[in-house]
Amino acid sequence: MLLEVRDLQVEFRTGDGVAKAVNGVSYSVDAGETLAVLGESGSGKSVTAQAIMGILDTPPGKITGGEILFRGQDLLSLKEDERRKIRGASMAMIFQDALSALNPVVSVDNQLGEMFTVHRRLPRKAARAKAVELMERVGIPGARERAGQYPHQFSGGMRQRIMIATALALEPDLIIADEPTTALDVTVQAQVMDLLAHLRRELNMGLILITHDLGVVADVADRIAVMYAGRIVETAPVHDIYKAPAHPYTKGLLRSIPRLDQKGQELYAIKGLPPNLMRIPPGCAFHPRCPLARDVCRTEVPPLYEVSQDRGSACHFWREALHG
Ligand code: SF4
């Protein structure tokens, strides 16, 4: 297995109290596989990714439990310089906002080229040639002519391609893409998703795709893990989730996707707001918003019940959710 996260727990200590951002998350991704991690903001999906990458702000963040195994090695037991080496060469991250992730005053060829001069000790000319090659690989038209331009001279979609190129530069085994298309319009979103899926296949990388939008992952993900209040509430192969979700929260997320065949209908929204992580409701954290909630949901935390061999749902009434 390429990456295994086991029972990860992360807290943030603030002046107002302790926010329990990740509460026992376990998931895995293999080479050539795409895992979509889905949830509203504050569900813990990005914090888990930051913990995997070793870029969590500590303090106020603190990993209080669990393991992160990368090719069998527990990353949490490594020293910072060892983590940095893995972060540079074996895993990379793509962020939502390319404009703030890229350096605005350094030309694109120099930013990409730096990956090769610093990590591979290539001379500048060879590094620039590699930079152009990468730009071509991620589909930037006129890459050779445009390589010397600055990030603001590219469109949003092209900037995101540049960031993907930066992440790919050292041919990592794992890429974590955190809301990589949220800032883009729908057509460009689809192009960037296609590009990621294509590169994942070509390079046999593991890909973790973090998103709040179930609509964008249908064609690219193999599995989905749905997060709520720092826990995984449902995990399943992507087609099973779309066909019949086994958790009321996933059902709500699916119903909130706008559908072309239901023009004029009001868009569904899950009632209420995600919980304050300093005061997570007892029992099932979703119970204040759940249409199926009963007394037991207010007192007993549901474990991840086995729905089938490769599916799990953290709902006491998953059968009802699945067949209802
Ligand atoms: Fe709803 Fe209860 Fe299931 Fe939680 S455990 S999702 S509250 S039915």
Side-chain angles (χ1 to χ4, degrees), residues 9 34 36 38 89 97 143 150 159 200 229 232 314:
Q9 295 169 41
T34 300
L38 191 90
D97 182 3
Y150 293 85
R159 275 199 297 269
R200 188 264 295 166
I232 291 186

Side-chain angles (χ1 to χ4, degrees), residues 1-232:
M1 188 58 68
L2 182 62
L3 176 83
E4 256 189 286
V5 177
R6 289 186 189 161
D7 198 22
L8 186 71
Q9 295 169 41
V10 183
E11 292 179 354
F12 284 85
R13 291 176 183 272
T14 71
D16 297 329
V18 178
K20 292 185 170 291
V22 179
N23 301 303
V25 162
S26 300
Y27 62 59
S28 60
V29 61
D30 216 342
E33 188 185 29
T34 300
L35 171 75
V37 182
L38 191 90
E40 291 163 293
S41 67
S43 60
K45 55 195 194 311
S46 296
V47 174
T48 304
Q50 287 162 11
I52 295 169
M53 287 297 294
I55 56 169
L56 197 65
D57 276 340
T58 47
K62 187 165 192 243
I63 296 174
T64 53
E67 291 174 316
I68 300 172
L69 304 176
F70 185 69
R71 296 202 180 286
Q73 181 176 42
D74 186 7
L75 297 181
L76 300 181
S77 66
L78 298 181
K79 296 203 182 80
E80 178 47 33
D81 58 333
E82 295 169 315
R83 293 279 324 245
R84 204 175 308 125
K85 272 188 212 148
I86 291 181
R87 188 155 63 232
S90 302
M91 53 172 77
M93 194 151 173
I94 297 166
F95 298 91
Q96 179 186 139
D97 182 3
L99 201 52
S100 50
L102 295 167
N103 189 333
V105 295
V106 177
S107 63
V108 169
D109 56 351
N110 279 336
Q111 291 194 52
L112 285 169
E114 198 184 277
M115 304 292 292
F116 300 102
T117 51
V118 172
H119 293 275
R120 297 278 188 262
R121 303 195 183 287
L122 285 187
R124 282 177 68 91
K125 200 171 164 197
R128 187 181 185 278
K130 282 273 193 193
V132 171
E133 205 179 284
L134 270 176
M135 289 173 73
E136 282 166 349
R137 190 172 205 174
V138 297
I140 297 177
R144 194 166 299 277
E145 298 73 40
R146 300 197 68 188
Q149 293 183 343
Y150 293 85
H152 73 270
Q153 293 174 285
F154 290 83
S155 67
M158 287 300 147
R159 275 199 297 269
Q160 205 58 333
R161 284 173 191 263
I162 294 166
M163 196 148 64
I164 293 171
T166 313
L168 284 178
L170 304 177
E171 304 201 351
D173 301 313
L174 175 72
I175 285 200
I176 302 180
D178 191 356
E179 305 273 6
T181 61
T182 303
L184 307 174
D185 70 48
V186 178
T187 325
V188 184
Q189 267 186 9
Q191 291 167 356
V192 170
M193 279 295 171
D194 282 352
L195 173 67
L196 276 173
H198 166 77
L199 292 168
R200 188 264 295 166
R201 273 194 303 275
E202 191 181 275
L203 302 171
N204 199 33
M205 300 177 303
L207 175 63
I208 298 178
L209 201 54
I210 296 170
T211 179
H212 67 278
D213 185 353
L214 200 44
V216 303
V217 295
D219 298 329
V220 284
D222 298 302
R223 295 186 58 78
I224 293 189
V226 182
M227 286 188 68
Y228 189 80
R231 287 178 196 276
I232 291 186

Side-chain angles (χ1 to χ4, degrees), residues 233 246-249 283-294 296-298 300-302 305 313-318 321:
V233 295
H247 194 284
Y249 178 57
C284 171
F286 187 57
H287 81 252
R289 306 173 74 187
C290 180
L292 296 186
R294 281 155 236 192
V296 64
C297 304
R298 293 175 188 89
E300 284 183 30
V301 178
Y305 294 101
S313 167
C315 172
H316 294 305
F317 302 102
W318 64 265

